Amino acid sequence: LYTPTPDCFLNGITRQTILEIAHELNIEVTEGKITPEFVQSADSCFLTGTAIEMMPVKQIDEFLYDITHPMLQILTTAFKNAVANYSPK
């Protein structure tokens, strides 16, 4: 799982939750600069945010992404379960 370093956007709770879930599932996470060329070569892509929670990206320009990618499905299910089972302390 590759994610941009949060140096020009909010490191929001949804993003942090997804990264936490990825670590719990032993999914390797790499933070760094994401170039347009890198995004073009990705198998799958998603966005996170308070309003959208976790949203798969189907297409950027002419580049298509697999919205049924297994890792995306695993993270989506785990995130939905985490949100459904959340109870403030």
Side-chain angles (χ1 to χ4, degrees):
L1 176 61
Y2 294 89
T3 185
T5 304
D7 54 3
C8 63
F9 62 89
L10 180 65
N11 185 18
I13 193 161
T14 305
R15 178 182 184 275
Q16 291 176 34
T17 302
I18 294 292
L19 295 179
E20 197 174 293
I21 289 168
H23 287 295
E24 290 171 3
L25 296 173
N26 295 316
I27 296 172
E28 184 179 344
V29 176
T30 302
E31 275 188 294
K33 183 176 180 179
I34 305 291
T35 65
E37 294 78 22
F38 183 83
V39 173
Q40 293 169 1
S41 69
D43 295 326
S44 183
C45 180
F46 65 90
L47 303 172
T48 62
T50 302
I52 62 168
E53 293 184 335
M54 184 177 173
M55 184 177 76
V57 174
K58 186 174 182 177
Q59 183 173 355
I60 299 175
D61 293 331
E62 69 272 15
F63 301 98
L64 300 174
Y65 301 97
D66 181 3
I67 60 171
T68 64
H69 191 281
M71 186 187 314
L72 181 60
Q73 298 302 312
I74 289 167
L75 287 172
T76 300
T77 299
F79 179 77
K80 286 180 181 179
N81 288 337
V83 169
N85 295 320
Y86 174 76
S87 64
K89 295 177 181 171

